[in-house]
Amino acid sequence: MRIGIVTSEFPTLSETFIIQHAVQLIERGHDVTVFAFKSDPDKCPHEEVERYALLNKTRLFDRAWNMSQGARLARRLLLLAKNGLREPGLTLRTLDPRLSIRSSLTLETFMCSQAMKENRKFDIIHCHFGWSGVHGARLKRAKAFIGKLLVTFHGADVSADWGIGSASERALMYAEADGFTANTNFILEQAMKLGCPKERCSIWHMGVDLSQFAFKERVPRDGEPIRILTVGRMVEKKGMEYVLRALRDVKFRGSPIEYHIVGDGPLRSRLAELASKLDSNVRVVFHGALSAQDVRKQLDLAHIFVLTSVTAANNDREGQPVSILEAQACGLPVISTFHAGIPEAVAPETLAYLVEERDVAAIAERLDTLLANPSLWSKLGKAGRKFVTEEYALSRCTGTLLDIYGRLLEGAKHQ
């Protein structure tokens, strides 16, 4: 199959599942092209980007993405003057204000259509996140490509105040897309509340490559600090501040505690200030954003994984954090929250270690339980690995996606 993957930015460390998506399709012999509005590969050191030459397979919708708004518009006008008459019918369709007045005035859909000019025939155009789906719908309506359109929702796109877009944009996407997927039932229900047609919806989990995440039984060693790990962007919905507040209330006074945070973001200074108020028994280490390989090293070194996600002030919510699946695959016991699709992402045996959002006392209690009872680490770790192996193995999830593709190409409705 010839498949186009559409996303906002590629590659990016916070969305390595899109890299994985492309790689899995390539390994199965499919022809993959990635379309993105911007690309800054220096900020995403990922071994598979180089190994599979993914940058060579990437086409930018906006080559002037890092320029000023005026410079971007000037480039689009130049592109219109240069290429507009080569496909006059398509050019007029992309400029139709019924697609979007803003897109018409900024030449955005025309610009996007030019990224596909080498070959406009695809079996599937697969858009990650609803906002990419809106762009895909405009391109399909303008006949900038021939093929089926599939949109995957991930979380913020159907929950945050700034999510998919206006009612008219959603209506266009629902009319043009041939299918929709979400990574959890929770996210799919959110999408349907916004009008997404149920008969075209499916569940597609972001799988875990178990060969990359080796299982390891967690045991404490004499004199070794107990390492607690969180992986995620430093934004409100990741709830890192509640872990730091809980660490102030932890009663355990055995081995020293280290709290390692992998990721970066706008809340770093605020989190550093909270960390400075912890007592001497707890050391906080900020690693910043790391490559996938270095994240795996941190997972291997950790004893406990914590991600206490919350609903942000702007209603931004998780879909299903891949980091929780990866932690379980490595055999780490997990403490998290009853938030969005997270309960669907943990082994049933470990649900007791989920707490309500922002419940600092409950987080501290769960931490105390695990810190004082290392014998639980192995039990929970084995349950997590078994769960991920049975439900989220990458080969199985990729097979599910290919089945969805097959049904789309046969013209069948999703069940």
Side-chain angles (χ1 to χ4, degrees):
M1 287 185 286
R2 186 162 190 264
I3 300 161
I5 297 173
V6 179
T7 188
S8 298
E9 180 176 359
F10 186 85
T12 175
L13 285 174
S14 62
E15 296 170 6
T16 55
F17 54 85
I18 300 179
I19 298 173
Q20 182 175 269
H21 177 198
V23 166
Q24 285 297 296
L25 294 175
I26 292 168
E27 286 192 340
R28 284 160 175 74
H30 301 292
D31 181 3
V32 174
T33 304
V34 179
F35 297 95
F37 278 88
K38 62 180 182 178
S39 179
D40 194 355
D42 291 340
K43 292 184 178 180
C44 183
H46 196 290
E47 60 267 31
E48 291 188 335
V49 172
E50 182 175 351
R51 185 185 309 155
Y52 290 88
L54 294 183
L55 295 181
N56 294 337
K57 302 177 185 296
T58 301
R59 303 290 178 268
L60 285 183
F61 283 142
D62 188 357
R63 293 186 178 277
W65 65 270
N66 57 349
M67 298 182 184
S68 67
Q69 186 174 352
R72 291 200 302 272
L73 181 57
R75 186 183 181 280
R76 293 174 190 181
L77 287 168
L78 182 63
L79 199 63
L80 179 64
K82 181 180 178 181
N83 295 339
L85 293 178
R86 294 182 181 181
E87 298 174 286
L90 173 59
T91 297
L92 288 174
R93 291 193 297 273
T94 63
L95 299 178
D96 188 339
R98 289 175 295 182
L99 285 180
S100 163
I101 294 176
R102 186 189 64 81
S103 174
S104 177
L105 293 174
T106 61
L107 310 181
E108 187 171 65
T109 302
F110 168 77
M111 175 195 65
C112 292
S113 75
Q114 294 303 293
M116 295 178 162
K117 65 182 179 181
E118 294 175 8
N119 187 341
R120 299 194 182 279
K121 293 182 179 180
F122 292 86
D123 292 292
I124 304 282
I125 289 289
H126 189 158
C127 300
H128 281 278
F129 296 96
W131 42 80
S132 294
V134 170
H135 290 295
R138 290 174 185 157
L139 289 166
K140 187 178 181 187
R141 177 70 63 87
K143 299 181 181 178
F145 70 87
I146 298 171
K148 299 291 185 178
L149 179 64
L150 179 66
V151 180
T152 291
F153 301 119
H154 289 280
D157 46 358
V158 292
S159 62
D161 294 345
W162 41 266
I164 294 176
S166 67
S168 61
E169 288 174 324
R170 293 196 298 271
L172 175 66
M173 179 175 62
Y174 299 152
E176 292 296 330
D178 299 281
F180 304 89
T181 75
N183 48 19
T184 65
N185 287 297
F186 174 85
I187 294 303
L188 205 55
E189 289 170 5
Q190 293 299 115
M192 288 189 288
K193 287 178 182 178
L194 291 172
C196 189
K198 180 179 180 179
E199 67 275 9
R200 279 180 267 157
C201 292
S202 298
I203 294 292
W204 169 47
H205 295 309
M206 303 291 104
V208 176
D209 185 351
L210 296 172
S211 69
Q212 296 290 316
F213 296 91
F215 174 79
K216 173 182 171 183
E217 285 199 51
R218 310 294 157 154
V219 293
R221 295 177 181 173
D222 291 341
E224 180 184 56
I226 297 177
R227 295 171 64 107
I228 301 168
L229 176 66
T230 294
V231 178
R233 292 187 65 237
M234 293 182 182
V235 294
E236 184 184 358
K237 72 177 176 181
K238 295 297 181 181
M240 295 175 189
E241 71 168 279
Y242 302 103
V243 181
L244 290 167
R245 295 184 190 279
L247 285 169
R248 292 188 302 191
D249 298 334
V250 162
K251 298 179 178 62
F252 178 77
R253 288 297 180 268
S255 302
I257 299 168
E258 292 183 354
Y259 179 35
H260 293 259
I261 301 177
V262 173
D264 214 336
L267 296 184
R268 179 160 184 161
S269 59
R270 179 180 174 185
L271 295 172
E273 182 181 356
L274 284 172
S276 69
K277 298 176 181 178
L278 295 173
D279 66 34
S280 58
N281 189 55
V282 181
R283 174 173 172 253
V284 180
V285 182
F286 293 93
H287 292 273
L290 297 180
S291 68
Q293 182 177 3
D294 287 333
V295 170
R296 290 195 294 270
K297 289 179 181 177
Q298 292 300 318
L299 287 166
D300 185 65
L301 292 169
H303 298 104
I304 299 168
F305 186 86
V306 182
L307 183 66
T308 55
S309 301
V310 301
T311 302
N314 63 0
N315 288 317
D316 187 8
R317 282 177 279 192
E318 302 274 19
Q320 189 175 65
V322 176
S323 60
I324 286 181
L325 299 171
E326 294 173 345
Q328 290 178 101
C330 292
L332 283 165
V334 170
I335 296 173
S336 192
T337 48
F338 290 105
H339 169 85
I342 288 177
E344 299 177 47
V346 296
E349 295 91 334
T350 67
L351 276 175
Y353 291 87
L354 298 187
V355 303
E356 297 300 328
E357 295 183 19
R358 296 179 172 87
D359 191 338
V360 172
I363 297 168
E365 181 184 352
R366 299 304 190 279
L367 283 169
D368 266 323
T369 298
L370 287 178
L371 290 168
N373 297 279
S375 60
L376 290 173
W377 302 354
S378 178
K379 177 184 176 182
L380 297 177
K382 288 177 180 177
R385 175 72 179 198
K386 181 175 182 289
F387 171 73
V388 173
T389 300
E390 292 177 351
E391 301 293 334
Y392 288 90
L394 184 56
S395 57
R396 173 177 177 168
C397 295
T398 301
T400 298
L401 179 63
L402 292 175
D403 288 344
I404 292 170
Y405 285 175
R407 293 199 299 271
L408 282 182
L409 294 175
E410 291 169 3
K413 297 293 185 181
H414 288 187
Q415 300 298 320

